[in-house]
Amino acid sequence: MLSLRLARGSRPAVLLRRALVVVAAAAASFLLLCALGFAAGHPTEPRGGVARLLWCVVPLAATIHLTVTVARADPGTRPSSGLSAVGLGPVRSALLAATGAALSCAAGSGLALLTFLHLRGGFGGSWLLWAGSGAAGRALGAGRPLPLAGAITLVALVPVVAGAVCAAVLWPRATGDGRTTADARPGTTPTVATGAVGPLPDRTASGLPWGIALTAAGLALEAYAGSGAAPRHDALFHLPGRLGDTPPGAVGGWALTMAGLVLAGPGLTHLCGWLLAVGRPGALRLLAGRVLQQEAGLIGRPVGVLCAIASSGYAVARLGGTGSGRSGDQLLGPLTVLGAALVVVCALATTLTAALEARAARRRTTDALLRLGAPSRLLRGAAAVRAAALVALLSPLTLAVAHLTTLPVSH
């Protein structure tokens, strides 16, 4: 009840982010239910249902990432004197944020279930079945009984996982300087610099070697798997178009490469800030570099996700084409477009939310600089320099990784 009251009294921007979480959860749950419907409608093709369920992992991860970012940036769940006065300390505030995230995802999962049942004709027919040839109904398993336990499990999967991950991420921990991670959340404590909005710069940069190693391991696995024989047409990870010639080992190498880009995101962001402030910089470069280093722990991971998505999009555009695969499955079918759009929208929304959270964290520093006489154009110029530096550093890196990813398959 308290979560609903806090949601009702939130600002429009906060409500918009929560509505986006509801839509993302609905899309992810709908994709999971579509995989279940295909398995129910095609009992003789168990590999197809399992493969569709496995490909739902990426949209599910994007949805969970967005949910955690929105819950962390929600001002209604941050520790405050008012909440502490009524017994809501850091632990209960984390549980409150997790409960709110789970409720938002549960609303989206309910909408997805209703939409899925309507498209299958469970409510007396569907406009898709009337307007078309019934291909949508066959893909969703229309006319076949839906396993009740499987449907309940998949509907509850997104809310349960989102709530558990939010509670684990927001749970207060000691930071080593006598404070907890809840005290270091943006907006909870005044700071001299730009605010403790993420891991310390040295801890943030420490993840860069691991990200590079994981990316290199993924590229090596792709090269090794790509030199082998082509997969059978009845393989579990058979893909349509030219992607159908991709060996399963290359798919695993691609996953490792993308995970390495995400892991290296904070370190690359910190490195970009260090390059801006290296040497004898002026006020503009110094301010842009120091802020980028301080905020690397907050915006670095979403930036790494964007790089991974851009690299994957390049690979699909280069290798995909418009061919058809087994059973007439086209590469750019409606469910594929829905999943890709969900991942892209979640990544963009997560990056924007993290940027707004970082901006709110350094508001005290911005006000102090303005009181000291710093021109507002200096702050706008520093923001533009940070964005340009990230694009200049990460764009060629992402393009190079994407090109190396496609080499084993294209040759």
Side-chain angles (χ1 to χ4, degrees):
M1 183 60 67
L2 180 58
S3 299
L4 296 178
R5 289 181 178 272
L6 291 175
R8 188 181 62 179
S10 301
R11 296 174 300 187
V14 178
L15 293 177
L16 179 61
R17 291 198 293 263
R18 292 187 177 182
L20 187 59
V21 170
V22 173
V23 174
S29 299
F30 181 76
L31 291 175
L32 292 171
L33 290 173
C34 287
L36 178 63
F38 180 86
H42 302 77
T44 60
E45 300 182 23
R47 291 178 176 270
V50 174
R52 282 166 171 78
L53 191 61
L54 290 178
W55 284 118
C56 293
V57 173
V58 177
L60 177 62
T63 302
I64 299 303
H65 190 203
L66 173 63
T67 305
V68 172
T69 304
V70 170
R72 185 179 57 190
D74 192 351
T77 58
R78 293 172 182 166
S80 62
S81 57
L83 292 177
S84 300
V86 297
L88 291 178
V91 174
R92 293 189 177 181
S93 296
L95 295 178
L96 182 64
T99 302
L103 289 177
S104 299
C105 292
S109 297
L111 292 176
L113 179 61
L114 294 177
T115 304
F116 177 73
L117 293 177
H118 171 66
L119 295 181
R120 294 183 79 244
F123 297 146
S126 168
W127 64 271
L128 282 179
L129 301 179
W130 299 336
S133 60
R138 289 192 297 269
L140 300 179
R144 295 274 187 171
L146 197 65
L148 181 60
I152 294 177
T153 301
L154 293 181
V155 168
L157 180 63
V158 178
V160 170
V161 174
V165 173
C166 286
V169 171
L170 301 179
W171 198 264
R173 303 178 184 86
T175 58
D177 56 355
R179 298 188 302 161
T180 63
T181 53
D183 298 328
R185 291 177 63 185
T188 60
T189 178
T191 56
V192 178
T194 59
V197 296
L200 296 177
D202 55 345
R203 294 181 57 188
T204 299
S206 63
L208 182 58
W210 295 102
I212 295 176
L214 198 59
T215 303
L219 293 175
L221 180 59
E222 286 186 71
Y224 176 77
S227 61
R232 303 187 311 271
H233 288 285
D234 60 345
L236 178 60
F237 288 100
H238 182 82
L239 298 174
R242 291 179 60 192
L243 291 174
D245 297 331
T246 305
V251 177
W254 167 83
L256 284 179
T257 304
M258 298 304 104
L261 283 177
V262 175
L263 184 61
L268 290 174
T269 305
H270 183 270
L271 175 63
C272 185
W274 180 83
L275 292 175
L276 279 177
V278 73
R280 303 180 62 181
L284 181 63
R285 281 204 301 128
L286 180 61
L287 180 61
R290 294 307 185 195
V291 170
L292 198 56
Q293 291 182 68
Q294 184 67 32
E295 295 176 353
L298 183 62
I299 67 175
R301 196 58 52 82
V303 169
V305 172
L306 283 180
C307 293
I309 292 175
S311 178
S312 303
Y314 176 85
V316 171
R318 185 176 180 183
L319 301 176
T322 57
S324 298
R326 183 181 41 166
S327 303
D329 295 336
Q330 293 186 355
L331 177 60
L332 296 180
L335 295 181
T336 305
V337 173
L338 176 61
L342 173 62
V343 172
V344 173
V345 170
C346 286
L348 292 176
T350 301
T351 305
L352 181 59
T353 302
L356 294 177
E357 186 181 4
R359 180 183 179 184
R362 63 173 183 269
R363 182 174 294 117
R364 292 177 180 271
T365 303
T366 302
D367 295 340
L369 290 175
L370 292 176
R371 286 195 302 268
L372 291 175
S376 57
R377 66 176 179 274
L378 175 64
L379 303 179
R380 292 193 298 265
V385 169
R386 291 196 300 271
L390 284 176
V391 172
L393 177 65
L394 298 179
S395 294
L397 179 62
T398 302
L399 184 61
V401 172
H403 184 69
L404 292 175
T405 302
T406 58
L407 280 181
V409 180
S410 60
H411 290 75

